[in-house]
Amino acid sequence: MRQRMPYPWRREYEAELVGSDPRSDLAVLKLKGAKGLHTLPFGNSSDLRLGELVLAIGNPFGLEGTVTMGIVSAKGRANVGIVDYEDFIQTDAAINPGNSGGALVNRQGELVGINTAILSRSGGYQGIGFAIPSDMAQSIMSSLLKDGKVARGWLGVLIQDLKPELAEAFDIDRTEGALIADVVDDSPAAKAGFERG
């Protein structure tokens, strides 16, 4: 009878929170007493192409070391309503409860995203999953390691796309750019003289 070898990822460590960023749903942890662990190399998420194959790795429903395959369906997906700062990679690789925080990996074995959420009416996988791009995760990780927090610039305006009907209403002959929908009182934008419209 063949003896089953334990999975190497079944090791448990205590962790110390180095820093967290609730606005992006990311945190950096320091494992206590961890030795012999290897890091996954970061890939450049901005180089991903639509249709490119990716693997989602995680523990959905407690099933350890699950790997699913799919494609990059979209990039720069925002206004999903999950976190404050959204710039998601959308994939059809199966991401289920338990995959959050798992790796989204390209064919070269590089981390290109961190699985974070799904769009679902049933609570389970329905073909639309989201991952935080590795470029964003790397920047946030660097800030958390250096300062223990993420500092972001703030202008103090609410903007909306300059759609054809808005361009026509404002008598503008193009639809590039954005329209200032509102200016926050006492914000840098208000002090600089920005106005609604």
Side-chain angles (χ1 to χ4, degrees), residues 90-109:
Q90 181 182 325
T91 180
D92 68 350
I95 296 175
N96 281 296
N99 270 96
S100 292
L104 187 70
V105 179
N106 64 15
R107 289 183 296 173
Q108 290 74 38

Side-chain angles (χ1 to χ4, degrees), residues 33-171:
K35 293 182 180 157
L37 299 179
H38 301 281
T39 59
L40 190 59
F42 275 96
N44 190 341
S45 56
S46 60
D47 287 344
L48 283 173
R49 296 178 322 211
L50 300 186
E52 185 172 339
L53 287 174
V54 287
L55 302 175
I57 302 170
N59 297 314
F61 305 108
L63 300 169
E64 295 178 349
T66 297
V67 179
T68 57
M69 182 176 73
I71 63 166
V72 174
S73 305
K75 291 171 38 177
R77 193 63 84 197
N79 300 318
V80 180
I82 299 169
V83 289
D84 293 342
Y85 290 91
E86 297 181 338
D87 180 24
F88 294 124
I89 298 165
Q90 181 182 325
T91 180
D92 68 350
I95 296 175
N96 281 296
N99 270 96
S100 292
L104 187 70
V105 179
N106 64 15
R107 289 183 296 173
Q108 290 74 38
E110 299 167 327
L111 179 75
V112 291
I114 299 173
N115 304 325
T116 192
I118 59 174
L119 190 62
S120 174
R121 291 191 175 128
S122 67
Y125 171 71
Q126 289 189 302
I128 300 176
F130 301 103
I132 298 165
S134 60
D135 296 350
M136 178 189 229
Q138 215 169 0
S139 172
I140 289 169
M141 178 186 74
S142 295
S143 293
L144 291 174
L145 288 171
K146 182 178 175 218
D147 304 318
K149 64 180 182 175
V150 178
R152 293 182 170 89
W154 180 61
L155 187 57
V157 294
L158 300 173
I159 60 171
Q160 63 189 84
D161 291 335
L162 188 57
K163 297 189 176 187
E165 56 273 10
L166 281 174
E168 185 178 331
F170 281 93
D171 197 27

